[in-house]
Amino acid sequence: QVQPVESGGGSVQAGGSLKLSCALPRPEDTRFCLGWFRRAPGKEREPVALIDSDGITSYADSVKGRFTISQDSAKNTLSLQMNNLELQDTATYYCASAYGSSYYCYVARSGLSEFMAYWGQGTQVTVSS
């Protein structure tokens, strides 16, 4: 495995829940940034939820209180619990990781996701009314 692999996407009614999972390419270094990003058709990619090696999490304003990011170091996986899904959550969701510094999460919060070194192929989430 040389890149993250996402799973758990699908179709769900508004107000429902989904849990996305990501198998990471390798164990984390002492310092790292892990995150979920999404891209809706015709729109730019945006950070959804991030977690760094200090345990600091951050969320896009649009998902605060609804999404939760978590890491399972034993399984080397990253998850995103998505509750109370809304139509605007429809997008392709990507798992990404960077190693060596938690600074990558700092810049990702500002919208500069090009610093993330590893990207999955994405999993589709479709929310219907």
Side-chain angles (χ1 to χ4, degrees), residues 96-117:
S97 61
Y99 305 95
S101 177
S102 59
Y103 175 77
Y104 297 125
C105 274
Y106 176 81
V107 297
R109 297 186 188 100
S110 300
L112 301 177
S113 59
E114 65 265 29
F115 294 100
M116 305 299 288

Side-chain angles (χ1 to χ4, degrees), residues 46-117:
E46 64 174 346
V48 176
L50 303 165
I51 184 169
D52 67 19
S53 47
D54 294 320
I56 298 174
T57 59
S58 60
Y59 298 90
D61 289 340
S62 60
V63 307
K64 286 182 178 178
R66 300 188 298 118
F67 291 10
T68 302
I69 188 171
S70 61
Q71 177 195 7
D72 187 333
S73 59
K75 297 181 179 180
N76 196 27
T77 58
L78 184 72
S79 298
L80 183 68
Q81 180 65 50
M82 310 165 68
N83 297 327
N84 300 316
L85 284 161
E86 303 172 355
L87 294 177
Q88 65 187 25
D89 295 320
T90 295
T92 300
Y93 285 72
Y94 300 88
C95 174
S97 61
Y99 305 95
S101 177
S102 59
Y103 175 77
Y104 297 125
C105 274
Y106 176 81
V107 297
R109 297 186 188 100
S110 300
L112 301 177
S113 59
E114 65 265 29
F115 294 100
M116 305 299 288

